Amino acid sequence: MPETEQAYALITGANKGLGREVARQLGLRGMTVLVGARDRTRGTRAVEELRRQGTDAHFVRLDVDDEASVAAAAEHVTREFGRLDVLVNNAGIVEDDIPPSATTTALAERVYRTNVFGVIATTHALLPLLSASHAGRVVNLSSRLGSLAKAADFDTPHRLLLAYNSSKAALNSLTLHYAREFAGTPLKFNSATPGYVATDLNGHQGTRTVEEGARVVVTLATLDKDGPTGGFFDEDGPVAW
Ligand SMILES: NC(=O)c1ccc[n+]([C@@H]2O[C@H](COP(=O)([O-])OP(=O)(O)OC[C@H]3O[C@@H](n4cnc5c(N)ncnc54)[C@H](OP(=O)(O)O)[C@@H]3O)[C@@H](O)[C@H]2O)c1
């Protein structure tokens, strides 16, 4: 495909928070933005907002925790648009602050279903389109809390969210495995950490704005062909795994 063709980006969980802001920033760069959201009302509201700002935005119903919904979303994108250049695996959930030893397997499973298995399902369903792009980019929304290097540094405070933190470590592992499989092709996979951003996820306790948090994601979503793959980045550069 010639590089002048319109680029398409799908962002999961794009109805609010970081996902919505990533959609806004990619729209400002001229991309057609596919707003993945599990709730039609919330998703179409975000689409309307983006359109008011001049972005070519479209709603794609997508619950990453539901394989039928993921398959239907991939079919919808294929049928309606026929291409995808960027996938931002942004949808994520976190458990309440409880000690690691109080985390039930049911809770861990719920968090993993969205933060890990949802990413696998969504990525695999969209790989045919992403592989056909001349500049396919997959960005996984990770977290510093998923850094094993940080968890292993006992001298520095670390929030002990067993399910969430380990799900983001697993997500980072996914990034590396896909990046290795697709090394030497145009398709790049990277993990991004946005910092501590004020969103519903943390009751708006975060110290950074969504505008700031989204920057690294947008940078990784729009890397040129010489950009990295298989990395873990914040907006200042590489972060320890
Ligand atoms: N905020 C931070 O400080 C921070 C730091 C590091 C990493 N992150 C990561 O950044 C990502 C976005 O977080 P955020 O802070 O923007 O949180 P948020 O405001 O709570 O937004 C989360 C989004 O994910 C969606 N979602 C959750 N489960 C889903 C599912 N099964 N299918 C589809 N969408 C689903 C939510 O949709 P509904 O509205 O339908 O619930 C919402 O749109 C997450 O992966 C998070 O782990 C955030």
Side-chain angles (χ1 to χ4, degrees):
M1 276 175 276
E3 300 204 4
T4 49
E5 280 186 10
Q6 181 61 18
Y8 287 75
L10 171 65
I11 301 102
T12 68
N15 54 287
K16 67 177 183 180
L18 281 159
R20 186 175 58 187
E21 177 59 18
V22 168
R24 190 185 73 82
Q25 292 189 20
L26 290 176
L28 285 178
R29 290 179 174 231
M31 284 194 189
T32 294
V33 163
L34 310 182
V35 172
R38 57 184 164 176
D39 180 88
R40 181 171 295 278
T41 306
R42 291 195 289 270
T44 48
R45 201 180 300 136
V47 165
E48 283 160 16
E49 260 177 52
L50 288 163
R51 286 186 176 169
R52 276 198 294 276
Q53 295 161 8
T55 290
D56 182 29
H58 304 264
F59 170 64
V60 175
R61 208 191 95 70
L62 175 52
D63 181 343
V64 302
D65 185 12
D66 174 349
E67 289 211 19
S69 169
V70 172
E75 274 169 37
H76 174 101
V77 174
T78 306
R79 192 178 58 244
E80 293 292 319
F81 309 103
R83 70 178 285 175
L84 189 68
D85 305 282
V86 172
L87 170 64
V88 179
N89 285 311
N90 166 81
I93 57 172
V94 66
E95 72 269 32
D96 292 334
D97 264 297
I98 49 170
S101 60
T103 306
T104 61
T105 51
L107 175 58
E109 192 185 319
R110 191 167 70 80
V111 172
Y112 271 61
R113 277 208 312 268
T114 298
N115 295 6
V116 183
F117 306 142
V119 173
I120 295 175
T122 306
T123 303
H124 292 192
L126 292 160
L127 262 177
L129 289 177
L130 291 163
S131 302
S133 168
H134 62 78
R137 306 286 179 257
V138 179
V139 186
N140 292 330
L141 253 293
S142 184
S143 167
R144 254 175 226 282
L145 292 174
S147 163
L148 295 179
K150 195 165 180 293
D153 176 6
F154 282 32
D155 294 331
T156 307
H158 196 62
R159 259 180 93 194
L160 301 180
L161 297 166
L162 184 78
Y164 181 79
N165 296 4
S166 62
S167 77
K168 295 299 185 182
L171 177 64
N172 281 348
S173 181
L174 299 187
T175 298
L176 284 169
H177 283 75
Y178 292 129
R180 289 179 75 115
E181 179 179 352
F182 290 94
T185 79
L187 192 48
K188 296 180 189 295
F189 291 82
N190 288 291
S191 282
T193 171
Y196 191 34
V197 176
T199 66
D200 287 351
L201 194 80
N202 49 43
H204 292 264
Q205 295 301 300
T207 50
R208 309 189 79 215
T209 65
V210 285
E211 287 83 359
E212 291 167 335
R215 271 188 219 136
V216 61
V217 183
V218 170
T219 299
L220 295 172
T222 56
L223 288 171
D224 67 27
K225 64 178 176 24
D226 300 320
T229 187
F232 182 24
F233 299 96
D234 67 12
E235 70 175 329
D236 297 322
V239 172
W241 291 105

